């Protein structure tokens, strides 16, 4: 049977074998469909969120979104339906949806009837809430404006523009709606209503993001006046900084963050973002100062402490490269009081040793020895080697340290390594490998005995997950395959082991898995769903997305039931869905 027809039949209520690929996400897909048909939008959204990228029901979201559009919102419905690919099981229902929505359009006078009924009540009742209700209804039936104004008086310019913008936003061209919001903002500014104008500007930015894309210029044109008119709105500053980060405009993002910090001087997020921006452009001293302010406010912030150390290392590296060992030593001495833990203390001592090493001082070895004393072996030599790489030390110095590291690692491998220490060593290496992958790879080449001994330890499933993710990040492909193939559960199809093995086998190269391996991944994903391993499913889906999948067969013809009254168009759409899925089963 046509695979896409099977998807539609399953959604329509046919029984599906428990071991079928269609069974895994079927409960969520049916829950979303039935929630739509009974008008429970919250339940529908909750169910749709359970459908991942590789689910055969993933395009159900776009179909239901299109059906929820009003007949005059054809552009919105078409945008949702355009996301449904030609090979999707929902391609045929997507093809039939626009004619169905158009068939609901003729009797637009129903909107006027909906307006005139409360208008008649308003003439009999002095309750002011009728005026507000009728004003909001003008968004949907602007042709009734004269009736409204005859009873309540003319709308002022702001109300007229607001209603026009909302109408265009819902039924018309988004760009016309955007320009109308611009005019409304100018009216508010002329009146001196700065907060109202700022709110309109924020709404324009959201409208532009939704319709024109996250990098649209209209977002910038809206958020700049929003920040100027209402500098006390933190979200406006954050959105503008995020916009410039997306556009890669570091200079303007830095200026926005500086202005935001003036408005919110104690905001840790803005402090951290500005410190990161300073670090990215090479202003290491400023980054040190800003990270220091974050730590002064929250001494337990480990990430801020780590980034402060990174900034100090970068500044020291710059001074050493310029031959200014005395200034480098001053940088380390100024920041040394922040080294409160043994590991931090080891880092600072290692830094001091490297500075003395460049200066040709024999006391460098004393500092290295003191650094090793602060932490259990082979931590000290590992930190020294990584610091030398980060500081761009000559290959001759790196080679000497690699020999010392090999001795320390081989000696540590005589005893079962501490698992916590193994994970921590890999974490430190990952930070440096992001910039210096080849140099870190050489460290692993001299540390093989230690890490291979670590692979033979008895790792719990949680520990195995942590270790596997680190080995993937560091591209230690063979070590990871050796690890999972040694596991007692290897060969039983455990999805965690299958994922780690095939992720390592793919080596991060799209299309590196054959069809049999892809099928193993699909089965692993299904098993993970049954076992409730939700953390694993997105990882498998990402790996599947980078590798080939079997082709999807041809389309399924479906008949279209007759449309009903446009006054109940959304309810009609829901009824149509139910009739349509029943028709699938009858074919």
């Amino acid at each position: 049977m046509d695979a896409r027809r099977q998807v539609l039949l399953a959604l329509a209520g046919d029984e599906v074998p428990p071991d079928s690929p269609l069974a895994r996400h079927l409960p969520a897909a049916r829950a979303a469909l039935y929630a739509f048909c009974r008008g429970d939008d919250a339940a529908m959204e909750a169910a749709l969120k359970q459908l991942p990228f590789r689910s055969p029901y993933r395009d159900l979201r776009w179909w239901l979104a299109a059906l929820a559009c009003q007949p005059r919102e054809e552009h919105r419905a078409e945008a949702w339906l355009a996301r449904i690919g030609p090979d999707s099981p929902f391609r045929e229902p997507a093809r039939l949806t626009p004619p169905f929505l158009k068939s609901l359009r003729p009797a637009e006078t129903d909107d006027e009837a909906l307006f005139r009924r409360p208008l008649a009540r308003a003439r009999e009742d002095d309750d002011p809430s009728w005026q507000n209700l009728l004003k909001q209804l003008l968004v949907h039936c602007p042709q009734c404006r004269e009736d409204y104004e005859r009873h309540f008086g003319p709308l002022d310019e702001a109300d007229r523009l607001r209603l026009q913008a909302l109408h265009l936003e819902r039924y018309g061209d988004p760009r016309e709606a955007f320009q109308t919001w611009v005019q409304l903002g100018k009216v508010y500014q002329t009146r001196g209503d700065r907060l109202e104008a700022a709110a309109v500007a924020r709404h324009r930015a959201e409208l532009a993001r939704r319709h024109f894309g996250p990098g649209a210029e209209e977002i910038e044109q809206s958020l700049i006046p929003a920040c100027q008119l209402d500098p006390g709105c933190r979200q406006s500053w954050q959105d503008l900084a995020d916009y410039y980060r997306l556009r890669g405009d570091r200079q303007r993002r830095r200026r926005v963050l500086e202005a935001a910090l003036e408005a919110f001087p104690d905001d840790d997020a803005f402090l951290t973002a500005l410190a990161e921006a300073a670090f990215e452009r090479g202003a290491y001293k400023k980054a040190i100062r800003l990270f220091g302010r974050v730590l002064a406010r929250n001494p337990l912030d480990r990430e801020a402490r780590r980034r402060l150390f990174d900034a100090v290392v970068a500044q020291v590296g710059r001074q050493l490269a310029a031959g200014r060992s005395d200034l480098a030593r001053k940088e380390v001495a100024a920041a040394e009081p922040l080294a409160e833990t043994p590991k931090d203390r080891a880092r600072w001592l290692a830094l001091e040793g490297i500075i003395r090493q460049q200066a040709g001082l024999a006391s460098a070895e004393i500092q290295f020895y003191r650094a090793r004393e602060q932490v259990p072996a082979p931590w000290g030599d590992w930190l020294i080697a990584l610091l030398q790489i980060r500081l761009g030390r000559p290959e001759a110095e790196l080679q000497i340290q690699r020999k010392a590291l090999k001795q320390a690692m081989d000696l540590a491998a005589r005893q079962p390594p501490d698992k916590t220490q193994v994970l921590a060593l890999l974490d430190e290496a990952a930070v440096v490998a992001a910039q210096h992958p080849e140099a870190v790879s050489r460290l692993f080449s001299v540390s093989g005995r230690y890490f291979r001994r670590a692979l033979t330890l008895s790792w719990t499933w949680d520990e195995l997950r942590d270790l596997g993710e680190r080995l993937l990040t560091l591209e230690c492909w063979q070590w990871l395959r050796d690890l999972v193939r040694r596991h007692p559960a290897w060969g039983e199809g455990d999805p965690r082991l299958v994922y780690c093995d095939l992720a390592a086998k793919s080596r991060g190269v799209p299309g590196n898995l054959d069809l049999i391996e892809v099928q193993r991944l699909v089965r692993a994903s299904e098993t993970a769903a049954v076992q409730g391993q939700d953390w694993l499913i997105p990882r498998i889906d990402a790996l599947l997305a980078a590798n080939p999948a079997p082709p999807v067969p041809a389309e399924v013809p479906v008949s279209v039931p007759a449309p009903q009254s446009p006054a109940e168009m959304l309810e009609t759409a829901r009824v149509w869905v139910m009739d349509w899925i029943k028709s699938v089963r009858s074919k």
Side-chain angles (χ1 to χ4, degrees):
M1 184 185 293
D2 188 321
R4 286 186 295 183
R5 180 176 173 78
Q6 289 180 332
V7 171
L8 299 175
L9 286 171
L11 196 59
D14 274 14
E15 292 187 8
V16 176
D19 58 346
S20 169
L22 300 180
R24 178 179 156 199
H25 302 125
L26 181 56
R30 283 180 178 170
L33 182 64
Y34 298 152
F36 172 82
C37 291
R38 67 175 182 268
D40 189 346
D41 293 340
M44 179 187 71
E45 284 298 325
L48 288 173
K49 287 179 181 178
Q50 300 176 39
L51 301 179
F53 171 77
R54 300 297 299 181
S55 171
Y57 308 102
R58 63 185 178 275
D59 290 331
L60 177 64
R61 170 183 294 276
W62 315 127
W63 185 42
L64 295 182
L67 285 169
C69 292
Q70 303 292 332
R72 284 171 293 186
E73 297 179 293
E74 290 179 23
H75 63 284
R76 292 184 62 196
E78 289 171 0
W80 291 124
L81 295 173
R83 300 191 180 198
I84 300 177
D87 297 328
S88 170
F90 295 90
R91 184 59 180 176
E92 182 62 17
R95 183 182 67 81
L96 299 171
T97 298
F100 168 73
L101 291 177
K102 287 179 181 178
S103 69
L104 298 178
R105 292 193 64 175
E108 297 211 353
T109 53
D110 275 20
D111 283 337
E112 298 179 23
L114 284 173
F115 181 86
R116 290 197 174 99
R117 282 197 293 269
L119 179 60
R121 292 287 306 274
R123 287 169 177 160
E124 301 170 359
D125 189 348
D126 292 334
D127 188 342
S129 59
W130 287 113
Q131 180 178 1
N132 185 55
L133 171 63
L134 289 162
K135 184 186 293 185
Q136 300 310 315
L137 285 175
L138 290 177
V139 172
H140 308 284
C141 49
Q143 67 273 21
C144 298
R145 177 181 156 192
E146 291 184 5
D147 292 337
Y148 175 91
E149 292 183 330
R150 273 197 297 269
H151 185 73
F152 297 106
L155 292 166
D156 65 18
E157 186 179 12
D159 278 340
R160 179 180 58 78
L161 288 171
R162 183 180 63 83
L163 294 170
Q164 181 183 351
L166 288 170
H167 176 78
L168 289 169
E169 188 174 324
R170 189 171 182 84
Y171 302 115
D173 183 356
R175 293 201 175 274
E176 288 185 33
F178 184 87
Q179 292 303 324
T180 307
W181 285 116
V182 171
Q183 295 176 40
L184 177 59
K186 291 178 180 178
V187 170
Y188 282 134
Q189 283 187 259
T190 303
R191 291 180 177 180
D193 294 336
R194 294 174 60 85
L195 295 183
E196 292 287 352
V200 168
R202 288 192 293 269
H203 181 78
R204 287 203 315 265
E206 181 55 36
L207 177 68
R209 187 180 295 109
R210 190 166 63 246
H211 290 284
F212 312 145
E217 294 180 355
E218 289 85 352
I219 297 176
E220 178 186 27
Q221 296 166 6
S222 303
L223 289 176
I224 288 177
C227 293
Q228 294 170 341
L229 292 165
D230 184 12
C233 179
R234 185 191 180 283
Q235 192 60 48
S236 297
W237 294 106
Q238 184 68 63
D239 290 346
L240 187 56
D242 290 344
Y243 170 81
Y244 285 132
R245 180 178 60 183
L246 180 69
R247 295 292 297 265
D249 193 331
R250 294 183 178 181
Q251 185 174 7
R252 286 181 175 165
R253 180 171 182 263
R254 173 174 59 84
R255 291 174 181 170
V256 168
L257 289 172
E258 288 174 346
L261 202 56
E262 290 181 8
F264 300 91
D266 296 327
D267 191 293
D268 288 345
F270 286 143
L271 269 173
T272 302
L274 191 57
E276 293 287 359
F279 185 90
E280 289 174 4
R281 72 175 189 275
Y284 301 128
K285 289 187 73 66
K286 183 173 183 178
I288 292 170
R289 186 174 69 255
L290 291 170
F291 281 126
R293 286 177 60 183
V294 176
L295 271 178
R297 290 178 48 78
N298 185 8
L300 300 180
D301 190 334
R302 294 184 178 181
E303 181 63 17
R305 188 176 298 278
R306 183 184 70 80
R307 295 300 288 148
L308 172 62
F309 179 73
D310 291 342
V312 171
V313 170
Q315 180 65 11
V316 168
R318 174 178 290 171
Q319 302 290 16
L320 291 179
R324 297 191 289 263
S325 299
D326 53 339
L327 293 179
R329 191 177 297 112
K330 289 180 180 178
E331 297 286 354
V332 174
E336 189 174 5
L338 295 170
E340 297 178 352
T341 67
K343 190 185 297 184
D344 288 340
R345 185 69 181 162
R347 289 191 179 99
W348 299 114
L349 289 169
L351 262 180
E352 180 69 24
I354 293 171
I355 293 171
R356 296 186 183 190
Q357 188 179 49
Q358 168 153 326
L361 300 176
S363 58
E365 285 302 322
I366 297 176
Q367 295 301 95
F368 290 149
Y369 177 80
R370 292 176 61 196
R372 295 184 184 102
E373 281 189 324
Q374 299 294 319
V375 289
W379 250 114
D381 283 290
W382 189 254
L383 291 176
I384 294 169
L386 291 174
L387 273 175
Q388 287 182 331
I389 292 172
R390 293 175 69 174
L391 291 170
R393 304 308 301 147
E395 177 60 25
E397 291 183 17
L398 298 180
Q399 190 172 0
I400 293 172
Q401 182 55 33
R402 283 200 296 270
K403 290 180 180 179
L405 177 63
K406 185 177 189 308
Q407 294 176 356
M409 287 293 198
D410 289 349
L411 183 62
R414 296 179 182 179
Q415 300 293 328
D418 179 78
K419 290 187 286 187
T420 303
Q421 185 181 73
V422 171
L423 295 175
L425 290 174
L426 295 176
D427 284 338
E428 293 284 346
V431 173
V432 183
Q435 299 294 328
H436 310 278
E438 292 183 6
V440 173
S441 179
R442 294 191 186 99
L443 296 188
F444 281 118
S445 68
V446 301
S447 308
R449 184 178 299 178
Y450 175 85
F451 286 108
R452 288 193 181 92
R453 178 71 186 271
L455 300 182
T456 65
L457 300 175
S458 177
W459 296 85
T460 67
W461 284 112
D462 287 341
E463 292 169 341
L464 183 68
R465 167 185 169 180
D466 294 338
L467 179 59
E469 290 183 345
R470 286 162 172 80
L471 293 176
L472 282 175
T473 300
L474 289 161
E475 300 185 354
C476 298
W477 315 119
Q478 192 55 51
W479 285 358
L480 180 55
R481 299 197 81 184
D482 292 344
L483 173 69
V484 298
R485 288 167 182 260
R486 279 197 185 99
H487 197 279
W490 176 253
E492 298 176 6
D494 187 283
R496 294 163 288 195
L497 300 180
V498 171
Y499 165 71
C500 288
D501 182 58
L502 294 180
K505 198 265 183 185
S506 73
R507 294 177 173 264
V509 179
N512 220 16
L513 300 180
D514 59 34
L515 189 57
I516 294 177
E517 290 165 335
V518 170
Q519 291 171 346
R520 285 180 61 200
L521 273 177
V522 171
R523 289 195 296 272
S525 182
E526 294 169 356
T527 305
V530 172
Q531 295 176 351
Q533 298 176 27
D534 296 336
W535 66 271
L536 184 58
I537 295 172
R539 290 167 172 78
I540 296 178
D541 287 342
L543 190 55
L544 282 169
N547 287 275
V552 183
E555 300 181 1
V556 183
V558 182
S559 61
V560 188
Q564 299 180 22
S565 167
E568 300 174 348
M569 47 198 132
L570 187 55
E571 182 61 28
T572 303
R574 290 168 175 148
V575 173
W576 181 65
V577 171
M578 296 304 294
D579 288 344
W580 176 81
I581 60 177
K582 289 175 184 176
S583 73
V584 175
R585 303 180 65 185
S586 64
K587 291 184 180 295

